Each structure stands twice: as structure tokens, then as C-alpha cells.
Amino acid sequence: MYVLPARDTVIFPGVLAPIFVGRPATLKTLELAATAEKRLIFVAAQKDPLDEDPGVDGLHEVGTLCEMLQMIRMPEGTVKLLLEGKERKRVRQYTVKDSMITADLVSVQTRYVENEQLKALHQEVLREFENYVNNHPRLPAEMIQPIAATEDPSLAADMIAAHMTLDVQKKQSLLECFRTDSRLELLLKYLISETELLKLGREIHTRVQKELDQNQKEYYLREQMKAIQEELKVDDSPETLELRARIDKAALPDNVKAKVEEEYKRLVKIPSMSPEHSVTRDYIEWLLCLPWNVKEAEQMNLAVVKKTLDANHYGLERVKDHLLEYLAVRKLAGASSRAQILCLVGPPGVGKTSLGKSIAEALGRRFVSFSLGGMRDEAEIRGHRRTYIGALPGRIAQKLKEAKCSNPVMLLDEVDKIGTDFRGDPASALLEVLDPEQNNHFTDHFLEVPLDLSDVFFITTANVLHTIPPPLRDRMDILELSSYMPEEKFHIARRHLMPRVYKESGLTKKDVAVTDAALREIISDYTREAGVRSLDRKLSTLCRKAARTILEEREAGKTPKKITVGVKNLAEFLGAPHRPDVRVPSEPEKGLSIGLAWTSVGGDVLPVEAVVTQGKGELQLTGNLGKVMKESAMTALGFVKSHWKILSGTAEPKWHTISFHLHVPEGAIPKDGPSAGVTMAVALFSAISGRRYLPGFAMTGEISLRGDVLPIGGLREKTLAAKRLGIFKLFVPEANRPDVDDMEPWVREGVEFTFVRHAEEVFDVVLEKQARK
């Protein structure tokens, strides 16, 4: 049997023991032992723990035969081994071969005779072990029960010996004690001795701890006596006198003034070294710093406000009109007008945050903002109570202090991304902030006095509405900012982006010029977004490359020439464009229809494909479709089946003998929504009937089982997407006629809208009259 020399470790039968192995010869022994069927190894303790290379004379002749349960290789090259002791063994002879030790083992008898004396000895050992565990600082009391439940006294003795903190020689003596009664007697001797040592150590520790506690108590009493013996007098330090002067000078509301005076009286009686002194002083400082009665003069000239908004933002006419209407009411009604809380909703990059800054500039008010995204602690809004260490007012009060006036424009960004956890619900705290009926006495937990927020112009921003809690959404006026159209992006780039990019790059129009055609191509082929952030980055990239070219020519002693970026050389600056591969049919095709979709980056054209194969009537849907879109496809198929004779004028096919497969291309992109219902119905009918879909048409609309075409959203973006791909004949629901009337003239220009109530009206126009053979 292979031998594992162990130093400072004795393993007993019936006990699990981890051991670390690092010596090369021992590691080699483990490798060979691990390949054996039973994975057994003999563990013998070294006589000298300091011996790095023990020979056969350096090992005890009695050890334990162990099973290797687990072997883990550590990063430093050692091995962590988990062993389970199986049986005591005596060595008949050790043998060394190739630096590995093997042993010829002999079993030893450990039987015992069950009698009253052995039982009494067993019980006494268990009682003494319980005393040992109770006095040991690191052994848990839960260890007593499993050992006490062990009926085998020999196994119980080995388990107790394994858990005791004995030296190796004493543990080896217990291992070499084969008779159970003799081993129990020796174990009892060791237990009594070790327990007495533990009790003595515990008494010493208790005595030292008691002396330390007494010293601390005396120090505390001496300090308390010193404070009591000092004469009570008013704190006349320079800092306190300065604070008194600020209180006298501050223009505070009556209730705030009374609170400050109350806290100041407490402050002058608190010793300056006390932690309560700094807490009270910070509280008074915060009450004095807030702009209770400070207001900024407001710009009420509508013409000036409109001019400022137009200068900073292109388009957004509805938002500008809403703001001007609010100012008109405020100017006429004065203080009796109701506070306005706007919520700007739109995709990223459409200018929600910058619009908030422009509103503040137009009104002549100061602007402050903070983000609500990821906020989970209600105290971020209401503040912490003063009892907490490091307590502060909430973000609302902090921003009022930053604004230095009580009527700033305050932008609460990303209101749709507020979180909730065990620390509270910030959205619920905002209900009081954003409610005009309540925010004139907003209560901050830190301030403990009502804070008037009725003069604050609150603006919130969000990307989507459905994640905002309904009670909070109900308190705000929703203004939706749709994605920018290519024409709008062009004007924004010319008026706002290009001048700023020139300034940031150290260039002027004399150095670099971008043609209109190149700018339009950047918008259409190099960016695909709702806002203009990606367009801004592309223009910055273009100017950086131009700046490098100009600087290199100057360093070479040449006179830089003006760089003109056109369509032909645009790829030199921005690389090859990544155009979306949308395949619009140019000839009549079977099993195809063209729908319109709304995305967060604008409208898009949505081809829908359908095929019919032999089967059992099932419908297969592919293209990464969402739950709503799948249900819409099932509804479309149900409509086609139930209205087959009306739509085709022919006998119904044997539905149970055919299967349908409907696919929406670009399967990597998730798609959902009901607005492709009519489109999928047309594609399925075309595939079944063989009537081909005519090019030049596109459609959008939700379909019902009866064939009713229901209204949809995002029609403006969908219309521009169709125009971009050369489709000018659109079928839209009759209920969306007001949306078409609200569109700008340049959006409707050249588009032929057909308003439909029933899907049959679409089938008769977009499909050929007869199926081809």
C-alpha cells in the first residue's frame, strides 16, 4: 500500500480530514494511488514534523488506511486532499522505491466487550467532552449531539480525539491504543487535563476583560464629572457668533425662523466637542442656505421666448406651442395660474434634456437637473432623518440650494427608470413633489419644515410611458417627441451640430466644407437612429480626420487647402456605408406583402413572406416575433379561412391537408405589435390563392377576426419610411385619418392615402385579379 507521510496530523478511523500535499515524491505517490480501483492510501504521522524528506525510520508504525474522496489541484502546484479514515493498520515493513514509500500492512484487533464498566466509561467521556466543547472558544456546541448519538464507543472515542486540540504525540498515542476501554481511559485523562487548561484560560480572559471595562467606566465617569463641574455658559466662539449674525440677517418664513431659533438655543448649550453639536450646526446651516423667499425675475415676453426656443431647437412645434400657451396663461392669470409639470417622452437623442435647458433660458430662470435612472432609495427624494450618521436632505432640496432661488426650472431625467426595493419607492415620493395640490408644503425628512415647491417649473423626461407608475403619470402633462425625420436632421446638423463640431475641432467653414448631398447621405446611410447623437459622432469623426490632414500639411511647410467633403470622397472619411438591405418587390410576387413598422429609431418597411406546404393545417411563425405579433398572425389566418369564399370566389381548400409558414425577415431583430395584421393576412391569402402582390403598395393596420381594420400608432414615421423606399400608395385604417390631417404638409406630399375599414378593401387593390398558372 502506498504511504502518505503526514506532519502535525493524525487521522482517525471514521473521520473526514483535509490535508495539503506539496512534496514532489508525495505528489507522485498520490497520482499512482489515485489510479487504483479503490483509491486507498496509508497515512502515517512523521516522528519529526520538521523533517522535509522522512525515511522509513522517521514514520510511526501505526497509521490509518484512508480513502481518497476528493483531490483538488491548487494554483501554486500543491494538492488539497480530502481523506476518510477507514481502519487502523500496523506496518510490518516499509519499502522505498523511486523515492516513494510503500508499506506491508497488518490489521489490528479493536474489538471490545459490551459491559457496564465500558458503558459508564463511555458516558463519562461524553460528559467531559461536553465540558470541553463548552469551554473551547472555537468548537461549536452543535458538535456534541452527533458524537453523543454514536453508539459505537470505539468510533465515538476516535471522533472526539480527532476534534481535540492535542499535540501529535498524544494523538498518536490514542491511535496506537487498540483496546477500546484503554483508549477511553486515556482519552478521559486528556479531556480532564485540557478542560482544566481551558477553564483557567477563560478565567484569565474574564479577569482581564473586567479590568478593561472598569478602566473604561472610570474614564467615562471622570469625563462626565468634568462636564458637570464646568460652569454652564453661552458659547461665544467666533463660529457661533457668525452663525448668530447669519440668522439675524436671513429672510426666513415664520415657521422656519422659529425652528432655527429653537435649534440655535440647543446649539449654544451643547459642548463643542459633542457629536450632537456638529449635527445641530449642520442642520441650521442647511435651513439658512435654502432660498426660501428668493425668486428670479421671469421672462414673460412671448416673442422673446419663441425666438430663444427657435434659435436653440429646430422643429418641435407642438412642444413650443404648449410652452407658449402656458406662459400666456401665467402672464394673464398671475399667481392664480396652476403650476405646470411637463413630461417629455421620446427616443434617446431627440433633445429632451437640451429642450429643458432651452426652456430655462427662454424663461430667464436658472436650470438644475438630476437623473432618476436606477434610483431605488426613497431618501434620495425625501432625505434622511437627522438621527442617521451623515444624514442629508433629499435631492430636491439640494438642487434648490444649488439654484439659489425658489423658482428654477428643475429637470428630472429618466423618470421611467426609477427602481424599487426594500429601501422604499422613489416614485411614490415623487407623487407629492409633482402634485401641484401638495407640493407647496413638501416635507423633507431632514429639514422637518415644509418646503414650498409650487414655484418650481418641473420637467421630467422618459423614453417610454408604460414603465411610469399610473398615479405618477396622471400628474404630468405628456408631450411626445417623435423621432427626427431625415429632413429635420439635415436642418439640425446645419444649424446646430456643424457649428459646434467646428468649434470643438478648432476648424472653421474656410477649412472644411460638407456639401448638402454628403450630409444627406451621412444621415441616410451612416446613421440609423431616432435622435442625432450618432450623426453628431459621425460629423465629429469627419472633422477630426480633416483636422489631422490640415495639421500634417502645416507641419510639412505646406499651405493647407480647403477640404470639401462630397458624396464621392465621403467614404475616405467615414468608411463604407452600412445600408439596410430592405428588398421591396419591383414585380408582382406570390406570398409577399409590404407592411409598415414603427421602431425606436423611426419608421421602417416590413416585408412579410408566406408559403403553403402539405401538412395538417398548422401555422409556423418565424422571424423573432413577439407574443402580440404571433396572435395577430393567428387572427389573420382565421380571417382568411372564415372569409375565403368572399375573398376568392372559389371553393375552400382542404385546410387539414396544408400547412402555412409565415416569416418576417431580419430574424435577429425582435418584432412585436398588432399593426402588421392586415399585411400578414394579405401575404397568407396570396400564398394560398396564388394571386400575386403588386409592387408600389404598403399597408398598416391591426386586423380582427371579422376583418375590421383597427387603428395603429406611429403613422408619421411609417409614412416617411415608405417614401424613403419609393412607396407612395399606402393603406391605413379609417380611424387614423386625424393623424394624417395632423401631419406636416411635406410629410404628406406625394403620398396617396387610402383609408379602409375592412380588409377586403385592401385585397381587391394590392393583389392580381386572377392567379397565374
Side-chain angles (χ1 to χ4, degrees):
M1 185 65 62
Y2 289 104
V3 178
L4 171 62
R7 49 183 164 190
D8 295 326
T9 303
V10 175
I11 299 177
F12 289 86
V15 177
L16 294 175
I19 187 170
F20 286 87
V21 179
R23 289 182 285 209
T26 311
L27 290 173
K28 186 177 179 182
T29 303
L30 288 180
E31 295 289 345
L32 294 174
T35 58
E37 181 179 352
K38 295 185 178 181
R39 293 168 61 90
L40 297 176
I41 194 165
F42 181 73
V43 180
Q46 295 180 200
K47 295 178 180 178
D48 182 7
L50 301 178
D51 190 357
E52 288 294 329
D53 188 16
V56 294
D57 296 329
L59 299 177
H60 288 284
E61 294 181 358
V62 176
T64 306
L65 184 64
C66 299
E67 180 181 0
M68 295 186 291
L69 300 180
Q70 190 179 49
M71 191 165 65
I72 301 174
R73 300 185 184 277
M74 308 303 288
E76 63 272 18
T78 61
V79 171
K80 181 181 179 181
L81 196 62
L82 181 63
L83 300 175
E84 181 183 10
K86 291 294 185 182
E87 181 182 2
R88 282 178 173 77
K89 293 285 187 178
R90 183 188 294 277
V91 179
R92 180 182 296 164
Q93 182 180 0
Y94 282 113
T95 306
V96 179
K97 184 178 180 181
D98 295 333
S99 71
M100 294 183 295
I101 303 176
T102 58
D104 184 11
L105 304 178
V106 179
S107 298
V108 294
Q109 297 295 326
T110 59
R111 296 179 181 176
Y112 58 89
V113 178
E114 189 80 22
N115 53 41
E116 296 299 322
Q117 182 180 357
L118 186 66
K119 289 182 179 180
L121 186 58
H122 184 196
Q123 293 299 322
E124 189 63 24
V125 167
L126 291 177
R127 279 194 294 270
E128 198 58 37
F129 178 66
E130 184 175 354
N131 291 333
Y132 176 85
V133 171
N134 291 334
N135 286 279
H136 201 287
R138 292 186 297 275
L139 290 182
E142 292 80 6
M143 183 183 294
I144 299 171
Q145 179 60 32
I147 295 178
T150 304
E151 297 180 356
D152 186 351
S154 177
L155 178 59
D158 287 341
M159 293 173 68
I160 292 173
H163 289 97
M164 290 181 65
T165 51
L166 299 172
D167 58 44
V168 176
Q169 296 304 324
K170 289 183 178 180
K171 286 195 173 185
Q172 183 66 30
S173 66
L174 288 169
L175 186 67
E176 293 178 358
C177 197
F178 303 135
R179 289 186 52 166
T180 302
D181 54 350
S182 300
R183 194 177 337 132
L184 286 172
E185 291 177 359
L186 182 59
L187 183 61
L188 182 60
K189 175 184 174 182
Y190 288 156
L191 279 171
I192 294 173
S193 174
E194 292 295 320
T195 302
E196 290 300 319
L197 286 175
L198 289 172
K199 288 180 178 179
L200 181 60
R202 199 166 191 174
E203 289 174 2
I204 295 172
H205 176 80
T206 303
R207 186 170 62 252
V208 172
Q209 185 66 39
K210 186 176 180 180
E211 292 175 0
L212 289 174
D213 291 342
Q214 182 66 26
N215 291 337
Q216 291 176 352
K217 181 180 180 181
E218 291 174 359
Y219 173 80
Y220 175 78
L221 290 174
R222 281 195 299 268
E223 291 297 316
Q224 195 173 37
M225 287 178 61
K226 189 186 300 182
I228 293 171
Q229 291 169 356
E230 287 181 0
E231 182 181 356
L232 290 175
K233 60 180 181 178
V234 176
D235 186 1
D236 56 355
S237 63
E239 293 82 4
T240 306
L241 294 176
E242 180 190 355
L243 186 62
R244 178 71 257 178
R246 289 179 58 193
I247 293 173
D248 295 336
K249 186 180 178 180
L252 303 173
D254 293 340
N255 61 331
V256 180
K257 184 78 170 178
K259 186 68 175 177
V260 170
E261 292 290 352
E262 177 187 342
E263 293 295 322
Y264 183 78
K265 289 178 182 179
R266 290 184 62 246
L267 177 69
V268 296
K269 295 180 181 180
I270 300 173
S272 59
M273 298 301 293
S274 171
E276 186 68 20
H277 185 277
S278 61
V279 172
T280 305
R281 183 181 178 86
D282 288 344
Y283 175 67
I284 296 174
E285 292 274 3
W286 267 104
L287 291 179
L288 294 176
C289 287
L290 289 173
W292 297 98
N293 295 318
V294 181
K295 292 185 179 181
E296 285 287 315
E298 194 173 37
Q299 172 62 257
M300 301 300 290
N301 190 314
L302 297 185
V304 175
V305 173
K306 188 176 188 307
K307 183 178 180 181
T308 304
L309 291 174
D310 289 339
N312 292 341
H313 286 271
Y314 179 84
L316 305 178
E317 297 302 329
R318 293 184 183 177
V319 180
K320 294 176 183 177
D321 289 343
H322 189 96
L323 182 62
L324 291 172
E325 291 163 6
Y326 161 70
L327 288 178
V329 171
R330 186 174 178 84
K331 188 173 182 179
L332 292 175
S336 61
S337 65
R338 188 173 180 177
Q340 189 89 2
I341 296 163
L342 300 182
C343 180
L344 306 179
V345 181
V350 296
K352 299 184 293 296
T353 304
S354 60
L355 183 61
K357 294 179 182 178
S358 296
I359 291 173
E361 181 184 345
L363 296 177
R365 295 196 193 186
R366 297 186 182 180
F367 176 78
V368 289
S369 67
F370 66 93
S371 177
L372 298 170
M375 185 180 291
R376 295 178 177 273
D377 192 352
E378 180 188 355
E380 291 279 354
I381 304 297
R382 292 190 179 276
H384 294 85
R385 299 190 185 277
R386 282 193 288 158
T387 52
Y388 294 100
I389 297 174
L392 285 173
R395 300 287 290 276
I396 302 293
Q398 292 181 37
K399 289 300 174 180
L400 282 179
K401 177 187 174 184
E402 179 184 327
K404 298 180 181 178
C405 67
S406 62
N407 64 336
V409 173
M410 188 175 294
L411 180 77
L412 310 182
D413 211 4
E414 310 292 357
V415 72
D416 58 327
K417 297 176 181 63
I418 301 178
T420 303
D421 66 5
F422 64 94
R423 290 168 292 186
D425 183 6
S428 298
L430 280 176
L431 294 178
E432 183 181 359
V433 176
L434 300 181
D435 190 343
E437 301 296 332
Q438 302 181 53
N439 63 8
N440 59 342
H441 52 271
F442 170 69
T443 302
D444 188 287
H445 291 158
F446 181 87
L447 299 178
E448 298 179 356
V449 290
L451 188 61
D452 188 359
L453 303 178
S454 59
D455 291 324
V456 179
F457 192 156
F458 285 105
I459 301 174
T460 64
T461 70
N463 294 128
V464 293
L465 278 175
H466 65 270
T467 57
I468 304 176
L472 183 59
R473 189 166 64 236
D474 187 55
R475 284 163 167 77
M476 301 183 292
D477 289 338
I478 309 296
L479 294 179
E480 295 192 8
L481 280 67
S482 58
S483 56
Y484 290 125
M485 299 301 110
E487 192 66 24
E488 292 176 312
K489 290 182 181 181
F490 175 82
H491 290 292
I492 291 171
R494 281 292 183 211
R495 295 187 185 184
H496 304 286
L497 299 184
M498 289 300 296
R500 181 167 57 78
V501 171
Y502 279 143
K503 183 178 180 180
E504 292 174 352
S505 305
L507 302 173
T508 65
K509 293 182 180 179
K510 296 179 181 179
D511 299 318
V512 181
V514 181
T515 65
D516 289 352
L519 183 56
R520 293 182 190 278
E521 183 151 335
I522 294 173
I523 294 169
S524 61
D525 293 350
Y526 287 87
T527 63
R528 184 175 173 80
E529 58 175 344
V532 291
R533 286 178 182 162
S534 181
L535 175 59
D536 185 24
R537 288 192 291 269
K538 292 296 182 183
L539 294 175
S540 297
T541 301
L542 188 150
C543 286
R544 283 197 302 270
K545 293 193 176 184
R548 175 186 174 185
T549 302
I550 292 171
L551 192 59
E552 287 176 347
E553 290 181 358
R554 287 178 182 173
E555 291 176 351
K558 300 178 183 178
T559 302
K561 297 180 180 179
K562 181 178 180 179
I563 298 175
T564 301
V565 181
V567 175
K568 294 182 179 180
N569 63 344
L570 184 59
E572 299 175 11
F573 292 88
L574 300 180
H578 300 282
R579 299 182 179 90
D581 185 19
V582 179
R583 299 177 182 176
V584 177
S586 57
E587 296 180 356
E589 293 190 24
K590 175 184 173 182
L592 176 72
S593 61
I594 302 297
L596 299 172
W598 179 93
T599 69
S600 60
V601 296
D604 204 354
V605 170
L606 191 72
V608 176
E609 303 171 351
V611 295
V612 178
T613 58
Q614 291 184 353
K616 298 180 180 180
E618 62 271 11
L619 172 63
Q620 185 177 358
L621 302 171
T622 56
N624 202 352
L625 309 184
K627 181 179 178 181
V628 175
M629 200 166 184
K630 288 180 179 179
E631 292 178 352
S632 186
M634 296 175 187
T635 304
L637 180 59
F639 163 72
V640 171
K641 287 182 176 181
S642 62
H643 290 70
W644 178 261
K645 291 184 178 179
I646 299 173
L647 296 173
S648 66
T650 61
E652 288 190 23
K654 296 180 180 179
W655 301 115
H656 63 279
T657 63
I658 57 177
S659 294
F660 314 95
H661 186 168
L662 191 143
H663 175 70
V664 182
E666 298 187 41
I669 301 174
K671 310 169 191 70
D672 206 358
S675 64
V678 174
T679 311
M680 291 188 284
V682 171
L684 288 168
F685 181 78
S686 174
I688 301 169
S689 66
R691 292 167 59 181
R692 298 175 183 264
Y693 182 83
L694 299 174
F697 294 98
M699 64 200 71
T700 181
E702 180 181 353
I703 194 172
S704 70
L705 281 173
R706 297 183 302 175
D708 296 329
V709 181
L710 307 179
I712 45 82
L715 188 57
R716 180 174 180 267
E717 289 81 359
K718 293 177 179 179
T719 302
L720 285 163
K723 290 179 66 175
R724 189 169 62 245
L725 292 176
I727 301 175
F728 297 95
K729 297 179 180 180
L730 306 183
F731 289 88
V732 299
E734 175 66 35
N736 285 105
R737 188 184 292 269
D739 297 325
V740 175
D741 296 336
D742 286 343
M743 290 181 187
E744 298 89 334
W746 64 270
V747 176
R748 299 195 304 265
E749 184 181 358
V751 180
E752 180 184 330
F753 291 98
T754 302
F755 300 99
V756 295
R757 294 181 181 273
H758 199 275
E760 294 178 29
E761 303 171 40
V762 181
F763 284 65
D764 294 338
V765 180
V766 301
L767 298 175
E768 292 180 339
K769 300 301 181 183
Q770 298 293 331
R772 298 188 189 182
K773 294 183 179 180

